[in-house]
Amino acid sequence: MKKGLIKYRAWDNDMKEMVMVSGIQFDAHSPLEKPCIIDEHNDIRDLDEVELMLFTGLCDKNGKEICESDIVKCGYGVGEVIFQAGCFMVQWIDDKEAYLEFVFSRKGMYARKNDEQFEIIGNIYEKIK
């Protein structure tokens, strides 16, 4: 990933599909004359009709980019990637009170328990594999 690049993807609530976001326009001169996104196919979508998800800057053990709302698993359990208190965390599904922030090492990105890498198994909008 290029340094300083902010990436988003979006879930289109009407079309029920995930799209990569190539641009966001907030001003009145946008194609829809209100806030909108432009997806990877240059289609324009109303910002009110999509759920934006920020890329964490991290990839899972298979090289897939991890975004907010992804469901990940590791030796510790299964959880949802959230952005809270200024950082990305995993909120564990099997223990709603347990939080675990992402941890970096020279080997890559790991969960603390068992030093195992995360794997994306789905997201909150689509079926889990």
Side-chain angles (χ1 to χ4, degrees), residues 92-104:
W92 300 107
I93 292 171
D94 50 355
D95 183 0
K96 291 290 185 189
E97 295 181 20
Y99 288 89
L100 177 70
E101 74 268 15
F102 290 121
V103 179
F104 293 93

Side-chain angles (χ1 to χ4, degrees), residues 56-104:
T56 64
L58 305 170
C59 294
D60 76 351
K61 71 180 192 177
N62 299 313
K64 190 173 177 183
E65 294 179 342
I66 301 174
C67 292
E68 287 178 278
S69 304
D70 278 337
I71 304 295
V72 295
K73 73 174 183 175
C74 70
Y76 188 78
V78 175
E80 177 187 346
V81 177
I82 61 171
F83 187 80
Q84 185 170 307
C87 64
F88 291 100
M89 300 180 177
V90 173
Q91 181 175 12
W92 300 107
I93 292 171
D94 50 355
D95 183 0
K96 291 290 185 189
E97 295 181 20
Y99 288 89
L100 177 70
E101 74 268 15
F102 290 121
V103 179
F104 293 93

